[in-house]
Amino acid sequence: YLKKLSSRFLLAVFLLAPILSGSTEKRMTIGIANNNPGNVRPLNWRVWEGAVGVNGHGYMIFRSPQYGIRAIRVILLAYQTKHGIRIPHGIIYRWVGKDADDSQKSEYTKELCRRLGNIDEFKKIDIRNPKTLDTLIRAIVFYENGYDPYGQYYYTRGMELK
């Protein structure tokens, strides 16, 4: 009987089982549902590769998680190369903008610094360093969603997309 079920149906059941069972351990967030784990908002001047729309909350919807990870990468690299932002404090305060109060920004910054090796929030970092960039992206994904559902494949692919 199970052999007759399509692989898509089985995949859907597997992915939705925790949600349908009422499990709150790893609930579906807006960012994960939209393949936008950084909760990237559209920019007037930017057409995002892999974008398929914008949701009702104003966040981009991407074709796959890899494109959402790519968007995080592009933004972080622009922080350093175009805006001269190279400290965790500046990164997070620009990332969240007006969406969070100072205490939320402070907690976000502390988490980022912890993941970067317990560094000071005003220490300069090189965002172009692949290891630093990977750490920043993973920290943002985790903080924005409360967990990180992606394996190495998604991060590697998101880093490779042009």
Side-chain angles (χ1 to χ4, degrees):
Y1 174 75
L2 287 177
K3 289 181 182 179
K4 293 181 182 179
L5 293 175
S6 74
S7 61
R8 282 188 175 185
F9 176 77
L10 289 175
L11 179 61
V13 169
F14 174 77
L15 292 174
L16 292 174
I19 296 164
L20 297 174
S21 70
S23 171
T24 57
E25 184 177 321
K26 290 186 179 180
R27 61 180 169 41
M28 182 69 70
T29 64
I30 291 172
I32 302 304
N34 290 333
N35 293 320
N36 181 0
N39 289 320
V40 173
R41 293 184 183 271
L43 302 171
N44 294 336
W45 55 270
R46 181 95 165 109
V47 176
W48 287 106
E49 185 176 336
V52 295
V54 178
N55 74 8
H57 300 284
Y59 296 106
M60 297 298 304
I61 302 170
F62 290 100
R63 181 179 326 144
S64 70
Q66 295 92 315
Y67 284 101
I69 290 167
R70 175 196 176 276
I72 299 169
R73 184 193 86 223
V74 168
I75 293 168
L76 290 174
L77 289 172
Y79 283 3
Q80 179 167 324
T81 59
K82 292 183 181 177
H83 306 290
I85 300 171
R86 298 187 59 188
I87 60 173
H89 175 89
I91 292 166
I92 295 305
Y93 275 65
R94 182 161 180 125
W95 186 268
V96 299
K98 298 173 189 168
D99 290 345
D101 63 34
D102 284 343
S103 66
Q104 291 170 316
K105 291 175 186 174
S106 178
E107 287 303 313
Y108 205 152
T109 302
K110 286 177 187 174
E111 176 63 19
L112 184 65
C113 290
R114 186 189 68 73
R115 288 175 174 259
L116 288 167
N118 292 315
I119 66 169
D120 182 79
E121 67 181 293
F122 295 101
K123 179 181 177 173
K124 278 190 176 180
I125 59 173
D126 184 5
I127 298 171
R128 295 170 301 177
N129 176 294
K131 184 176 180 187
T132 302
L133 183 57
D134 182 72
T135 301
L136 288 170
I137 292 170
R138 288 173 187 265
I140 287 170
V141 169
F142 185 87
Y143 200 87
E144 292 287 334
N145 299 284
Y147 69 105
D148 180 357
Y150 305 116
Q152 186 60 45
Y153 168 80
Y154 291 98
Y155 289 99
T156 301
R157 203 57 198 112
M159 297 289 263
E160 292 172 347
L161 289 170
K162 298 293 178 207

